[in-house]
Amino acid sequence: MAKRIFVTATNTDIGKTYVTALLMKAFTKKGYKVGVIKPVETGVSDGVYPDGDLLLRLLKELNPLAWSLEVEDIVPISYELPAAPLIASDFGEIDYAKIDHAIMQQEAFCDVLLIEGAGGLYVPLDNEVMMIDLIQKVDAAALLVTHCSLGCINDALLSQKALEAQNINYATVFNCKADDKSFEEVSAPYFRATAKEIFKSASDIDTLCDVLYNL
Ligand code: GTP
Ligand code: MG
């Protein structure tokens, strides 16, 4: 089994795909063979998978063993409505065997498998399963991507507490964007006072790879 790393976030549009791509490149530079899946993507229409297409393209650049994969191998389940899977599927069932199959297919040729969630931890997949439960179902460690704007203390802590309540091993990364300049002044002091380290996307990505691999 490859090292499975489930990339989740405090919400949608925070930077899961961005950080997943950084990790794929950084793990490759370190000599690992990478794989990637996005088990469920919504907002897929006319054959365009906003995340799946990007991840597949990058995967083929980084790992030649993935040459024959198609986007449906990266994204085994997709829906057109850009909504939580439970809503996008009109309260349907998720076929978890398809997700297991996609994982197995790539684990035949990768050492590290990045798995990008949809939205945040409490996004409903079906009537019983939330995104956070899928992390356990696929036996992965988690990377929580958080934003850096005012409010990130609350958002990060809520997600961290949820992960801890389900005994999921995780690391946290701050994905600061250009307009997040206040982070060091208004939010980072809290994390520096209470956590051992703050990892920032891009600048700390190499260290983060090592931390994640050992979770
Ligand atoms: P969903 O999968 O739709 O839930 O979103 P996501 O969490 O994967 O977010 P994504 O990585 O797609 O990032 C959202 C938007 O912010 C995209 O347009 C990214 O290009 C942009 N973005 C993400 N991280 C950064 C960053 O660090 N810097 C800049 N400038 N843009 C970023
Ligand atoms: Mg994404």
Side-chain angles (χ1 to χ4, degrees):
M1 180 173 135
K3 180 69 190 180
R4 297 177 182 176
I5 300 166
F6 198 108
V7 181
T8 185
T10 48
N11 208 330
T12 186
D13 220 28
I14 298 296
K16 293 183 299 294
T17 306
Y18 174 78
V19 170
T20 299
L22 288 179
L23 286 171
M24 289 170 69
K25 291 178 201 162
F27 271 117
T28 302
K29 261 198 195 148
K30 284 175 180 280
Y32 295 97
K33 292 191 179 66
V34 293
V36 67
I37 70 165
K38 168 122 183 163
V40 185
E41 180 162 8
T42 66
V44 171
S45 71
D46 297 327
V48 176
Y49 293 65
D51 284 358
D53 292 335
L54 183 156
L55 295 171
L56 177 63
R57 212 164 34 244
L58 181 60
L59 178 63
K60 289 189 176 187
E61 274 172 34
L62 297 174
N63 188 344
L65 299 171
W67 66 273
S68 64
L69 293 192
E70 313 220 347
V71 71
E72 293 83 359
D73 298 316
I74 305 288
V75 182
I77 298 169
S78 63
Y79 301 103
E80 191 167 343
L81 188 69
L86 176 68
I87 311 295
S89 69
D90 197 15
F91 290 80
E93 296 290 316
I94 293 279
D95 185 353
Y96 295 98
K98 279 189 175 178
I99 298 175
D100 288 339
H101 175 79
I103 290 174
M104 294 305 194
Q105 183 182 37
Q106 290 198 46
E107 284 192 343
F109 61 72
C110 76
D111 317 307
V112 176
L113 181 68
L114 281 311
I115 305 170
E116 184 189 334
L121 290 168
Y122 272 80
V123 165
L125 280 164
D126 57 27
N127 284 303
E128 270 109 48
V129 179
M130 297 287 184
M131 195 60 68
I132 191 168
D133 304 314
L134 184 62
I135 303 177
Q136 284 179 313
K137 263 181 181 292
V138 300
D139 200 13
L143 174 64
L144 174 67
V145 182
T146 173
H147 66 89
C148 296
S149 311
L150 187 60
C152 71
I153 297 177
N154 173 71
D155 290 347
L157 289 182
L158 282 171
S159 290
Q160 289 173 340
K161 297 290 170 204
L163 289 163
E164 286 161 21
Q166 290 193 212
N167 292 316
I168 296 169
N169 291 331
Y170 72 93
T172 304
V173 67
F174 292 85
N175 186 44
C176 299
K177 298 185 186 172
D179 54 358
D180 288 331
K181 292 197 179 70
S182 69
F183 176 70
E184 283 301 332
E185 191 183 354
V186 304
S187 301
Y190 175 81
F191 295 105
R192 290 198 203 286
T194 55
K196 287 194 195 93
E197 277 176 292
I198 288 189
F199 298 115
K200 284 192 169 179
S201 63
S203 58
D204 297 324
I205 205 78
D206 285 331
T207 317
L208 191 60
C209 284
D210 299 337
V211 169
L212 289 168
Y213 196 80
N214 291 308
L215 277 179

